[in-house]
Amino acid sequence: MIFTCMILLALDGDTKDCDDGRRVRLWGIDAPEIEQTGGTVAQEALGRFAGARATCEAKGRSYGRTVGKCKAIGVDMSCFLIGSGVAEEWIKFSGGAYSQ
């Protein structure tokens, strides 16, 4: 299922809240939690997308959140966070999609 939403805020480095009430955990990555080392830096990196419209492909659910592969302003958000050095690919879920 594909959905779009406006990104309101980054809760941490891999979870965002949308204007439709949906909480989205980005697919295929792992970022530090807010209280961990690097957590606020990861949150700030994801927060750069606040106010942008995201198009996401729902990949499942986790802890009451939609897990989605999302793009905003033409950028794969997970790829951006990995490339920025604030998140790591979670190969268990991504299958190596970002290793290239």
Side-chain angles (χ1 to χ4, degrees):
M1 173 183 95
I2 305 290
F3 65 93
T4 61
C5 67
M6 175 84 60
I7 302 167
L8 297 178
L9 64 105
L11 298 174
D12 58 25
D14 54 28
T15 304
K16 61 190 175 90
D17 275 348
C18 291
D19 65 341
D20 63 0
R22 199 180 316 240
R23 185 161 282 176
V24 181
R25 198 235 189 254
L26 294 175
W27 174 82
I29 65 168
D30 187 35
E33 299 303 319
I34 199 74
E35 68 277 356
Q36 295 175 320
T37 301
T40 56
V41 174
Q43 179 189 36
E44 290 168 3
L46 180 56
R48 292 182 186 150
F49 293 100
R53 182 146 299 281
T55 300
C56 303
E57 177 186 356
K59 297 283 200 176
R61 295 203 44 90
S62 175
Y63 297 102
R65 304 168 296 182
T66 299
V67 176
K69 184 173 182 179
C70 301
K71 285 187 177 183
I73 50 178
V75 175
D76 180 307
M77 296 168 71
S78 294
C79 189
F80 171 80
L81 294 168
I82 293 167
S84 296
V86 299
E88 296 180 351
E89 181 176 19
W90 202 348
I91 294 174
K92 174 182 175 181
F93 296 103
S94 72
Y98 295 109
S99 297
Q100 305 166 38

